[in-house]
Amino acid sequence: MYGKTMIDQLGSGLDETFIESLSDDNLSWFVDAIRGMVLADRHVDHHEVAYLRTILAYLSNKEEAERLVQMIKQRQNAELYYIGTIDREQAFYILVVLAKIALADGKFTQSEADYFKYACTRLGFDGIFTKEMLNLVQKKLEVENEYARLKNLSIASKDNYKMGPQTVIEAKMDEHQHRHLFSRSMNKQLKTSNNSLLGKYVQCFVCNQPDIPFWVLRSKCMKTQSNIFGVTIYTKPVKGKDHCDFNLIQTAVCPKCFFASNDLQYFKHENNPTEPFNAEHLDKAWEQAFPEREKVFSVHGDKFFSTSRSLEDAILSYDMAIMTYKQLSSLETNNLHLLKTVALYMIQSELFMTAGKRKEAEDNLNKVTNSIEPIFSYLDGEYIIRAATLLTLVFLYFKDYKKAGEYMGFLKNYSQSKKLDKGTAEHKALLIANNRVDAAYSERARFAYDKLNSFHF
């Protein structure tokens, strides 16, 4: 229709003929989708602004053009309604434009990928097509980044020729020294007398602080059980292993800037040299919030960075990690960051109950529902199944049977609205979810908050 191949379209991403082909309703939807992608990471890059100017120039409907400008200025969010009946070529071309917007700044963040998937579902595309389209966008990004790298390398080579041999050698030595220092830090062994643990030193992506202890629990060394919400509890070691309540020490905290996570991939190490978030984007906001984090962390104990971390210090470590992921979520509209925050709330809630702090534990449960419900419709696959399960269990605990019933119904009807192949991870997750909520509902009298002294039967 528009005379271009898929790769050609991803290269230009806009065609006046396409704009003119859209009906008024579809044009409004297209404008909303553009706004959503621009604001997906909550940061309007100057490259995105330049591309927006091109889009605005093609919009003959000046009311829609003005609406787009105002919505972006005011950071307005809005859901996309389902338009699966739109012409398939038009639907595909909309995705091309959204991909071009996402790649305008040379990045494709998780929040942008999440929004792209959301747009695919609203346009009526299935999961298989969506996954293939995401792969195409990622390949396009890799090609563009490699092009930029080679271009910069060619310029650097020219500059090095002009610099003279001594300056070039010094530059090479500086690069070698940096790599050596990082390698030396990463190769330092983190030792412990607890034979259920493995440890390694990692580096902070944000402030480059080295030698941060990160602990990993050896496989099959601890016997575990789950609380009523599915949080893992480490009860006792297997024969020949030492006891370790891993919930107390699994969260690592940078002692310099207080970045914290229980996910190894959020720290720099020899197998993970690239951050899973935009550290440069985080930098200014992270610095501004430093006094608040410093004040919270000032109450830590002497053994905070050891394997003998106290219950109070463990609760504090989750406070720091929750602050970290909240900050990341405020800068990048990333459902993964929010879901990680939810997981941290749930573990911390169990620790609060262990410490006899029931109010704080139940406050965390309310924070979980307040976090998940606004993004629930944006989730898919195993994420939405697990979210529905957790919401059901929390509402059963608080005896809100109407809300619990809504999410139980969602799980019951899930396989009817989406065909699932047996044996897939999604199919297995749904079976486990329905079994778990059915069991909880059948025991709802025992499951209620006023019948339990802990999160265990």
Side-chain angles (χ1 to χ4, degrees), residues 133-381:
M133 194 67 186
L134 282 167
N135 288 337
L136 176 64
V137 176
Q138 188 62 45
K139 288 177 182 177
K140 175 64 176 175
L141 175 65
E142 291 170 2
V143 170
E144 289 186 350
N145 286 343
E146 183 64 11
Y147 171 81
R149 186 187 72 83
L150 291 172
K151 182 179 179 181
N152 291 334
L153 184 61
S154 70
I155 296 171
S157 298
K158 183 179 179 182
D159 291 342
N160 286 344
Y161 176 77
K162 294 177 179 179
M163 285 164 62
Q166 182 64 36
T167 310
V168 173
I169 292 173
E170 289 174 353
K172 293 288 184 183
M173 289 178 63
D174 289 342
E175 181 181 357
H176 175 75
Q177 183 180 27
H178 174 76
R179 290 178 179 175
H180 174 68
L181 289 173
F182 175 69
S183 175
R184 187 177 66 182
S185 174
M186 293 300 101
N187 289 330
K188 287 177 61 178
Q189 290 188 340
L190 180 57
K191 297 180 180 180
T192 175
S193 59
N194 190 314
N195 64 8
S196 293
L197 287 173
L198 291 171
K200 68 189 308 177
Y201 285 110
V202 295
Q203 182 173 331
C204 180
F205 276 123
V206 182
C207 71
N208 294 319
Q209 171 68 26
D211 300 340
I212 302 170
F214 193 101
W215 300 104
V216 178
L217 190 67
R218 292 179 183 270
S219 62
K220 300 179 181 179
C221 65
M222 293 292 300
K223 293 185 177 181
T224 63
Q225 64 182 44
S226 298
N227 72 7
I228 60 174
F229 302 113
V231 174
T232 300
I233 311 300
Y234 302 90
T235 55
K236 60 182 180 180
V238 300
K239 187 176 180 180
K241 293 293 183 180
D242 298 325
H243 178 70
C244 176
D245 185 350
F246 192 58
N247 285 335
L248 298 180
I249 63 171
Q250 65 171 283
T251 298
V253 179
C254 172
K256 183 178 179 181
C257 75
F258 311 121
F259 183 95
S261 176
N262 60 348
D263 187 339
L264 181 59
Q265 297 309 305
Y266 278 71
F267 292 96
K268 189 174 185 179
H269 53 90
E270 68 275 11
N271 297 323
N272 184 44
T274 307
E275 68 269 16
F277 55 90
N278 190 334
E280 183 179 352
H281 190 192
L282 176 68
D283 188 51
K284 185 175 181 180
W286 191 246
E287 183 179 350
Q288 290 175 342
F290 177 81
E292 180 186 356
R293 296 193 306 278
E294 185 177 38
K295 182 178 179 181
V296 172
F297 191 72
S298 64
V299 298
H300 77 278
D302 294 337
K303 296 183 179 180
F304 185 92
F305 293 101
S306 75
T307 57
S308 302
R309 186 182 283 172
S310 67
L311 179 58
E312 291 74 18
D313 278 348
I315 290 172
L316 173 62
S317 73
Y318 288 97
D319 281 335
M320 305 311 297
I322 289 167
M323 292 174 76
T324 296
Y325 283 111
K326 279 187 173 182
Q327 186 80 71
L328 288 170
S329 296
S330 70
L331 297 172
E332 299 178 5
T333 309
N334 188 329
N335 291 335
L336 182 59
H337 291 155
L338 286 172
L339 293 176
K340 285 181 176 292
T341 306
V342 165
L344 294 166
Y345 275 136
M346 293 306 302
I347 301 172
Q348 190 187 51
S349 188
E350 169 66 27
L351 298 182
F352 273 134
M353 286 295 275
T354 302
K357 298 181 178 181
R358 187 185 193 107
K359 180 182 182 304
E360 289 84 348
E362 293 182 345
D363 284 346
N364 267 20
L365 297 183
N366 285 318
K367 291 174 184 176
V368 164
T369 60
N370 292 336
S371 297
I372 297 178
E373 288 201 288
I375 66 166
F376 185 78
S377 62
Y378 295 92
L379 303 176
D380 60 6

Side-chain angles (χ1 to χ4, degrees), residues 36-96:
M37 183 56 80
V38 170
L39 298 179
D41 58 2
R42 300 189 183 183
H43 174 69
V44 183
D45 183 85
H46 70 279
H47 297 290
E48 293 172 334
V49 171
Y51 190 66
L52 271 174
R53 290 196 183 103
T54 306
I55 294 174
L56 291 170
Y58 278 109
L59 284 174
S60 58
N61 187 326
K62 297 309 175 186
E63 291 183 0
E64 285 294 344
E66 180 61 24
R67 188 169 72 90
L68 175 58
V69 171
Q70 292 304 318
M71 286 189 299
I72 291 175
K73 282 183 177 180
Q74 297 169 17
R75 299 293 196 272
Q76 290 180 358
N77 292 318
E79 293 188 9
L80 300 175
Y81 59 86
Y82 181 79
I83 58 167
T85 57
I86 189 175
D87 176 81
R88 291 296 82 194
E89 194 167 354
Q90 287 183 336
F92 177 77
Y93 205 89
I94 287 174
L95 293 181
V96 168

Side-chain angles (χ1 to χ4, degrees), residues 79 339 365-379 381-415 417 429-430 432-438 440-441:
E79 293 188 9
L339 293 176
L365 297 183
N366 285 318
K367 291 174 184 176
V368 164
T369 60
N370 292 336
S371 297
I372 297 178
E373 288 201 288
I375 66 166
F376 185 78
S377 62
Y378 295 92
L379 303 176
E382 294 176 70
Y383 289 124
I384 199 167
I385 291 171
R386 290 170 182 160
T389 304
L390 182 55
L391 288 172
T392 301
L393 297 176
V394 172
F395 284 127
L396 284 176
Y397 174 81
F398 284 122
K399 299 172 72 170
D400 189 341
Y401 300 125
K402 181 180 179 181
K403 294 285 287 186
E406 291 176 8
Y407 291 102
M408 285 186 70
F410 172 84
L411 290 169
K412 295 298 180 187
N413 297 323
Y414 188 85
S415 59
S417 60
L430 184 62
I432 293 171
N434 277 312
N435 289 337
R436 180 171 290 174
V437 298
D438 284 346
Y441 186 77

